[in-house]
Amino acid sequence: PTLSQLRVHVGEIYSEAWDCAMAGDEKDEGRLVAPTALADIVVYPQNLPNAAPESWVSIRPDLDCVCSHDSIIGWVSAGAGGTGVDHKSVSGEGSGGLDSHVKAVNAERKSRGLKEVVALHVPRWPLAADVNPSSLSEIVFLEDEPPSTAAASLPSKTKEPSKGGGGLIGGVNIGDDNLYDSVAVGGTFDGMHYGHRKLLTLAVSSVRPITGKLLIGVTTDEMLKSKTFSNLIPPLKERMASVRNFVDALAPGMKDRMKIVPITDAFGPPGAPPSTDEHGRSNNDFDALVLSHETLETGYALNRHRVDILKMKPLTLLCTRRTEPHGMSSTALRRARSGE
């Protein structure tokens, strides 16, 4: 699959997990089945830029189960071209599929004194949401194919790396139009629900491996006093710690290339006047902002501010698409916890 297809699957899995946690219909906008907590889910698409390798994920002490589909997981023969289905149970070359994979994982975990995990099968492979290319020049929908890869098919068994710093990451063709040098993303991050996890995963996947950096802005307590059920919002320090814990689990290799900072206004660091430190490093060298459909207007306003006031280039707005019937919302969580 391409990087855009991996991003689609990240969004779809988190969206489906949210829908499973919601009951009721559109009339009452859904109610949480278990309002006190959501299952701790981290989606690790194999080959997603900057995400932890599968070998690291498999030995996490807190891992309970592995959820996947037989066609995309298991031991495959050398040179598999992006799919495991053709290499399942190849005579003399081992067997594939989720059960065989989990059996091997448990053998490794047992040798390390870790508890066994269970296999959770997906009965049928989920199809990605139907998306159409945007006509707006400053917006990139993260789940859409960029022009250079829109016509590309599944990678073949041998493929030359692309020129200009792109290249291959585990069989996925990563081009320069997919990745950015300095990415920003912001939010309240109250409860670290599946919408937050989707947003942060897509932000991580937008950062150029090895050299790119990510800034995550978390709104201060003072900015949230007017929000619905604001008394149920955890303090800033707790919310920043939750963000740190999730991103460290998803992309442990990014610790030295990621900053989590409090923000006191709608624009955060990308809207600050540019300056340099004693080492000549700029405080505002961002080239992309990750945001959701609901916050696009803020992105537009930020770019107008950068162009008209700061005399800087506008950011590329990397927007995620909403596909779940009940929008993933911190307000919905707080309403459920309030008992109303």
Side-chain angles (χ1 to χ4, degrees):
T2 64
L3 177 56
S4 296
Q5 290 169 334
L6 290 177
R7 287 167 171 165
V8 168
H9 291 311
V10 169
E12 288 297 295
I13 292 171
Y14 278 128
S15 294
E16 288 189 20
W18 178 265
D19 289 339
C20 289
M22 302 294 286
D25 55 24
E26 294 184 9
K27 182 178 180 181
D28 63 15
E29 298 182 351
R31 290 291 182 264
L32 281 177
V33 175
T36 55
L38 295 172
D40 185 11
I41 298 173
V42 183
V43 180
Y44 291 100
Q46 191 175 11
N47 302 320
L48 192 77
N50 301 303
E54 183 179 349
S55 58
W56 184 88
V57 176
S58 298
I59 57 173
R60 283 188 55 163
D62 58 348
L63 188 66
D64 290 316
C65 75
V66 178
C67 177
S68 191
H69 190 273
D70 278 334
S71 68
I72 61 167
I73 198 166
W75 311 118
V76 299
S77 62
T83 175
V85 68
D86 295 332
H87 303 280
K88 182 181 178 183
S89 301
V90 177
S91 177
E93 298 185 21
S95 59
L98 180 59
D99 288 333
S100 295
H101 176 81
V102 170
K103 183 178 179 180
V105 166
N106 279 334
E108 173 71 12
R109 290 178 67 85
K110 183 178 180 180
S111 71
R112 295 171 178 267
L114 300 172
K115 64 181 180 182
E116 291 190 348
V117 299
V118 298
L120 180 60
H121 285 265
V122 176
R124 55 187 177 84
W125 181 241
L127 297 177
D130 185 23
V131 293
N132 297 311
S134 168
S135 61
L136 300 176
S137 60
E138 65 182 309
I139 301 176
V140 173
F141 284 99
L142 286 168
E143 297 91 343
D144 288 356
E145 298 287 359
S148 63
T149 58
S153 58
L154 288 175
S156 59
K157 291 185 179 180
T158 58
K159 191 168 184 178
E160 293 297 325
S162 62
K163 297 180 179 180
L168 290 172
I169 298 180
V172 176
N173 193 12
I174 307 298
D176 284 343
D177 48 2
N178 294 97
L179 303 169
Y180 297 84
D181 294 312
S182 184
V183 178
V185 62
T188 303
F189 300 111
D190 168 23
M192 274 305 298
H193 61 64
Y194 302 143
H196 299 142
R197 295 174 184 228
K198 171 184 174 180
L199 188 72
L200 291 172
T201 302
L202 297 184
V204 164
S205 78
S206 303
V207 178
R208 192 180 304 281
I210 303 176
T211 59
K213 55 187 180 180
L214 175 65
L215 182 136
I216 304 172
V218 184
T219 50
T220 60
D221 299 333
E222 290 74 19
M223 290 185 65
L224 305 176
K225 291 179 180 179
S226 62
K227 281 187 172 285
T228 306
F229 304 111
S230 61
N231 60 306
L232 298 178
I233 298 177
L236 174 64
K237 185 177 180 180
E238 183 177 331
R239 289 181 283 117
M240 292 180 69
S242 296
V243 170
R244 168 69 67 180
N245 290 339
F246 173 76
V247 179
D248 282 353
L250 173 69
M254 286 197 68
K255 289 183 178 180
D256 294 334
R257 296 186 289 125
M258 176 185 65
K259 279 186 178 181
I260 302 174
V261 300
I263 53 176
T264 58
D265 59 73
F267 296 159
S275 63
T276 56
D277 61 17
E278 65 273 16
H279 302 291
R281 294 175 298 201
S282 172
N283 70 319
N284 193 345
D285 59 354
F286 303 100
D287 53 1
L289 174 70
V290 176
L291 70 176
S292 65
H293 253 131
E294 290 80 3
T295 56
L296 259 180
E297 287 299 325
T298 301
Y300 291 142
L302 169 59
N303 273 346
R304 290 194 298 269
H305 173 76
R306 286 174 63 90
V307 172
D308 298 340
I309 306 300
L310 302 182
K311 308 303 179 184
M312 300 180 70
K313 292 182 179 179
L315 301 175
T316 299
L317 304 180
L318 305 178
C319 185
T320 70
R321 292 186 181 275
R322 171 179 168 177
T323 57
E324 64 282 347
H326 304 296
M328 293 184 275
S329 162
S330 296
T331 302
L333 283 175
R334 293 195 298 273
R335 180 185 293 114
R337 290 166 180 160
S338 73
E340 292 190 11

